Amino acid sequence: MLDRNQLQQICDQVSEEIDAIVSIFAENGEIICSSQRNRIGMFHAGVARMMAGEINRYEATIEDAAKTAGVLEGAALPIEFDGSRLFCVSVSAPLNIARTYCRLVQHWVVALLRERALQSSEARFRDVAESASDWIWEMDSDLRFSYLSPRFYETFHTPPAAVIGKTRTEWAGTDVDSQAWKDHLTKLSARLPFRDFAYTGRTGLGELRHLRIHGKPVYDANGSFAGYRGTARDVTEQIEMERALRRAHQLLSDSIETIPEAFSLFDSDDRLIVFNSKYHALLYEDVGVEITPGMTFETIIREGAARGRIPEALGRIDEWINERLARHRDLSEPHIQQRGAGRWILVSEHRTSDGGTVAIYSDITDIKHRELELAEKSQAMERLSNQLAKYLSPQIYESIFSGRQEVKLNSRRKKLTIFFSDIVGFTETADRLESEELTQLLNHYLSEMSDIALEHGATIDKYIGDGLVIFFGDPDTQGVKQDALQCARMALAMQRRMAELQWTWRDAGIGQPLRCRMGINTGFCTVGNFGSENRMDYTIIGGGVNLASRLERAARPDEILISYETYALIKDAFHCEERGQIEVRGIAYPVATYAMIGERTADGAVVSPEEDASSNFTLHFDLDKMSEEERAAAVNLLRAALKTLSP
């Protein structure tokens, strides 16, 4: 198994080449290595399914990433070795790039795993070779085993009776009709010595073992043939290692050939080790130049420059070669290279752990042609998005463009806090103003109130002339009670701001100050998209909305009139006074109403909006704790203050 340092190095090297997030996941879907360190330890459900064998790839388009928080555009592939799914690699980049580099990392890690396995096999083979010794065998004149040294029985776990007295073909019993066996038997018949005859035999446990034997004929004192004597050794580990090495080389070649980009690998001496057909086609297509392992990097690029395949090298071949070699040795950022006939190539090179160089050549001609078109479309989309944002509440805009909410006709029942407000006597004020002045005044008022609403997390439903319809609890909510408290704080903030604006409007020549009345109700409403498939509006409907509107119409100038449902939620934090009951069409019973006076401080005192409107005027009282005498005295004081303040 590879250690995490090697995997981390792969993530970092690939990320440096393509400016992407490269991550490797463990069995449970957890990131164990990443080019972006703060992602290590994060969990990915899609990768967990891949590691469990439920899916064989995972991809997220740029649209998928826009719809789901935490999802990035890119691809992920499993890394398998010897039938086991060990890791998963993901590359967060445009999909065409992500797919390519996922496969590259996949092949890279598998190659390292095979290299590690081969190294392990080699180590085991050396251990066996050092601890094992050949065994000795003898045959009689009939070519039947007459003796085998103890090492044979230790290796094959078989008793002497199973071998002594048998010929080699009788004991081996496998593939004895092959040409190699026929040649061997011919030598035995001719009483000739032999070396390195290879064959297979099974142990007493049924295991197949590969043997290599040497032998020479033996004659007695009279010169008569007495049989053969020789040595043998078990080469099973060596044979299996050679086969594994051949398989690894073949798999590496096959894997490299599947890479859609041109690929090449150079050793530490800058000599070509392996490459795919696309590499040859890219460099020397249709010019009849052969590329073979062992060629130096300089020889290859010089051949291309000399044949005019590099436009920037024309008329300055040696100078260009020196520049290219310097870039190749420094392994700087990936660079773009123009290659004739309007073709553009992205060259990415990185160093291997043994000092070699891996190079990927990606044809980006189409990308170059589309860059300008994409940039123009992106700018147009950004302009359009900014314009659309002005027609939608920020929460609605964000939920639509993040993918959390679909733009289709649907609705749902939710408990919301609804706010209505308008300007008292606005019609009379409008009659006294020119249209330009009226427009400026109305836009100023609505802008100020809208800013306060957004600061408190409100969803602005609509503007109705001089009126505002606002609600809390959708698409985002802090809970019914917190939504009601935020609405109450917003209403008081609007009252304070209206008091401040009186002076601004007076200075602008508006003699009659604008006064606002407000209504608040908390209740169940239907909220969602209403209209047609071609034109819809995100709004609220229901009895709770109608009640809030009726409360606003019943409120006095500068008063915030709330329903009992809202009062029950905010009464601990705000001081309110009962205002009696009102009749509301559609509701069979009278509705209790309350006027919201001000917010309570930590010590229980009440702060009215007027108190906070000026740093030179404060008013604190606790109405619940005041006696009748104290209230009468307070009224006299206020009347005296009013006379003093009046011009």
Side-chain angles (χ1 to χ4, degrees):
M1 188 65 67
L2 301 176
D3 60 50
R4 294 193 180 185
N5 289 334
Q6 288 178 290
L7 298 176
Q8 184 62 57
Q9 185 179 21
I10 292 173
C11 293
D12 292 341
Q13 289 183 357
V14 175
S15 175
E16 289 175 2
E17 292 178 22
I18 61 173
D19 191 24
I21 301 174
V22 182
S23 304
I24 293 179
F25 297 76
E27 182 179 2
N28 59 358
E30 177 187 5
I31 296 177
I32 58 173
C33 300
S34 177
S35 59
Q36 196 172 87
R37 300 300 195 275
N38 61 357
R39 294 180 63 82
I40 295 176
M42 294 177 65
F43 172 82
H44 194 291
V47 172
R49 293 182 57 208
M50 194 183 308
M51 294 301 296
E54 298 176 13
I55 56 177
N56 291 321
R57 67 171 54 242
Y58 176 87
E59 293 185 352
T61 65
I62 192 169
E63 291 80 10
D64 296 333
K67 292 178 181 178
T68 306
V71 172
L72 302 177
E73 181 187 9
L77 288 176
I79 298 176
E80 297 179 342
F81 182 69
D82 282 350
S84 298
R85 194 161 282 190
L86 303 180
F87 306 108
C88 179
V89 57
S90 75
V91 175
S92 299
L95 267 179
N96 59 334
I97 298 176
R99 293 188 187 110
T100 296
Y101 282 86
C102 270
R103 288 193 295 270
L104 176 61
V105 174
Q106 184 187 51
H107 298 320
W108 192 349
V109 174
V110 169
L112 290 176
L113 287 169
R114 294 192 179 283
E115 180 181 354
R116 178 63 59 86
L118 289 176
Q119 291 172 351
S120 178
S121 296
E122 291 174 355
R124 288 198 303 272
F125 176 75
R126 285 194 298 270
D127 292 340
V128 171
E130 291 172 359
S131 61
S133 61
D134 298 348
W135 61 84
I136 300 172
W137 58 269
E138 290 182 351
M139 287 181 172
D140 59 20
S141 59
D142 294 326
L143 301 181
R144 296 182 180 277
F145 286 112
S146 57
Y147 173 78
L148 288 161
S149 61
R151 183 59 180 163
F152 171 83
Y153 301 109
E154 293 175 7
T155 302
F156 282 88
H157 306 286
T158 185
V163 184
I164 299 300
K166 292 185 177 181
T167 65
R168 182 171 285 113
T169 56
E170 291 173 344
W171 176 75
T174 58
D175 200 27
V176 295
D177 294 328
S178 67
Q179 187 60 46
W181 268 102
K182 291 177 182 178
D183 293 342
H184 177 63
L185 294 176
T186 298
K187 286 187 177 182
L188 294 181
S189 298
R191 312 301 190 243
L192 298 175
F194 58 87
R195 292 186 61 82
D196 292 323
F197 173 61
Y199 73 103
T200 59
R202 292 195 178 275
T203 69
L205 302 178
E207 299 173 341
L208 192 66
R209 310 298 292 180
H210 298 276
L211 309 177
R212 198 173 296 276
I213 62 174
H214 316 289
K216 60 179 295 186
V218 178
Y219 296 89
D220 60 18
N222 298 321
S224 300
F225 175 68
Y228 270 90
R229 181 182 295 120
T231 61
R233 55 193 170 93
D234 184 353
V235 294
T236 303
E237 295 289 341
Q238 177 183 342
I239 296 297
E240 291 180 350
M241 184 178 67
E242 290 172 351
R243 289 177 178 175
L245 183 61
R246 287 194 295 271
R247 286 196 302 270
H249 285 166
Q250 186 59 49
L251 284 173
L252 179 60
S253 298
D254 293 344
S255 298
I256 290 173
E257 194 59 39
T258 64
I259 297 175
E261 287 79 17
F263 174 90
S264 62
L265 173 63
F266 291 82
D267 62 18
S268 57
D269 294 325
D270 254 354
R271 293 188 177 276
L272 185 62
I273 299 176
V274 66
F275 61 96
N276 61 7
S277 58
K278 298 177 184 64
Y279 178 75
H280 180 269
L282 180 66
L283 266 61
Y284 298 128
E285 187 176 18
D286 301 329
V287 295
V289 175
E290 289 296 325
I291 300 178
T292 58
M295 292 179 68
T296 65
F297 179 77
E298 182 177 353
T299 299
I300 294 172
I301 63 172
R302 183 176 292 277
E303 187 71 27
R307 291 177 176 268
R309 299 184 67 84
I310 314 293
E312 61 181 300
L314 295 176
R316 51 187 295 271
I317 291 178
D318 290 335
E319 184 180 352
W320 178 83
I321 289 175
N322 290 333
E323 294 171 356
R324 182 66 182 91
L325 288 175
R327 186 189 293 272
H328 175 72
R329 295 187 184 105
D330 292 341
L331 296 184
S332 56
E333 294 293 324
H335 64 281
I336 296 175
Q337 184 182 100
Q338 186 178 2
R339 301 197 65 89
R343 197 173 188 182
W344 295 87
I345 304 298
L346 177 65
V347 182
S348 303
E349 298 173 307
H350 69 268
R351 192 78 66 209
T352 62
S353 57
D354 61 355
T357 305
V358 170
I360 300 290
Y361 295 73
S362 305
D363 191 336
I364 60 169
T365 303
D366 290 341
I367 297 176
K368 290 286 289 185
H369 291 164
R370 292 173 185 168
E371 277 182 354
L372 182 58
E373 179 184 356
L374 181 60
E376 292 175 351
K377 289 183 177 179
S378 297
Q379 292 173 1
M381 285 295 295
E382 184 177 357
R383 289 193 298 269
L384 177 60
S385 175
N386 291 334
Q387 292 172 359
L388 288 175
K390 297 181 183 298
Y391 288 90
L392 297 172
S393 178
Q395 299 94 327
I396 305 302
Y397 173 83
E398 192 277 332
S399 65
I400 292 174
F401 279 81
S402 67
R404 290 191 291 115
Q405 178 169 294
E406 295 184 77
V407 183
K408 63 181 182 180
L409 293 175
N410 62 8
S411 60
R412 56 197 175 277
R413 291 276 290 173
K414 291 187 72 174
K415 196 167 189 179
L416 307 176
T417 296
I418 307 99
F419 170 93
F420 273 73
S421 74
D422 73 348
I423 297 173
V424 179
F426 183 74
T427 302
E428 291 77 4
T429 301
D431 290 340
R432 294 194 298 268
L433 298 175
E434 295 295 333
S435 61
E436 293 81 2
E437 294 176 320
L438 178 63
T439 300
Q440 184 177 3
L441 174 64
L442 184 59
N443 287 338
H444 185 203
Y445 161 73
L446 292 175
S447 295
E448 292 284 346
M449 298 302 105
S450 297
D451 288 344
I452 293 172
L454 295 178
E455 288 173 3
H456 287 79
T459 299
I460 300 174
D461 185 356
K462 59 177 69 71
Y463 305 107
I464 306 175
D466 60 313
L468 272 169
V469 182
I470 292 170
F471 57 89
F472 287 77
D474 190 84
D476 301 320
T477 180
Q478 300 179 37
V480 175
K481 183 169 185 175
Q482 285 300 320
D483 290 341
L485 290 170
Q486 279 297 96
C487 184
R489 295 186 183 104
M490 176 197 73
L492 289 176
M494 287 180 174
Q495 274 194 343
R496 287 193 294 270
R497 186 57 181 155
M498 284 295 292
E500 295 168 357
L501 289 173
Q502 301 301 323
W503 302 103
T504 302
W505 288 328
R506 286 180 186 275
D507 292 342
I510 301 174
Q512 185 67 30
L514 300 184
R515 304 178 69 186
C516 188
R517 60 188 178 187
M518 307 175 191
I520 301 174
N521 176 47
T522 301
F524 281 97
C525 306
T526 302
V527 58
N529 292 319
F530 297 88
S532 69
E533 291 293 343
N534 298 322
R535 175 69 173 87
M536 61 186 67
D537 188 19
Y538 192 88
T539 187
I540 51 176
I541 61 173
V545 181
N546 297 335
L547 178 54
S549 175
R550 183 67 180 84
L551 288 169
E552 177 257 312
R553 289 196 295 271
R556 303 168 186 168
D558 302 324
E559 185 177 55
I560 304 171
L561 199 61
I562 67 175
S563 66
Y564 175 79
E565 286 76 8
T566 303
Y567 168 75
L569 294 170
I570 70 170
K571 59 185 176 62
D572 294 334
F574 293 85
H575 174 66
C576 303
E577 293 181 354
E578 190 171 357
R579 284 287 187 266
Q581 297 180 335
I582 62 173
E583 299 288 339
V584 178
R585 182 182 299 177
I587 299 179
Y589 50 87
V591 175
T593 64
Y594 297 80
M596 189 167 63
I597 305 303
E599 189 168 7
R600 300 183 188 275
T601 62
D603 58 2
V606 177
V607 180
S608 67
E610 290 80 4
E611 293 181 62
D612 199 28
S614 171
S615 60
N616 297 318
F617 172 73
T618 59
L619 177 64
H620 296 278
F621 62 91
D622 190 339
L623 191 62
D624 294 335
K625 296 180 180 180
M626 294 176 69
S627 65
E628 291 298 328
E629 293 78 8
E630 289 174 330
R631 293 189 183 194
V635 169
N636 292 331
L637 287 173
L638 290 172
R639 286 174 177 167
L642 183 60
K643 290 180 180 180
T644 302
L645 292 172
S646 298

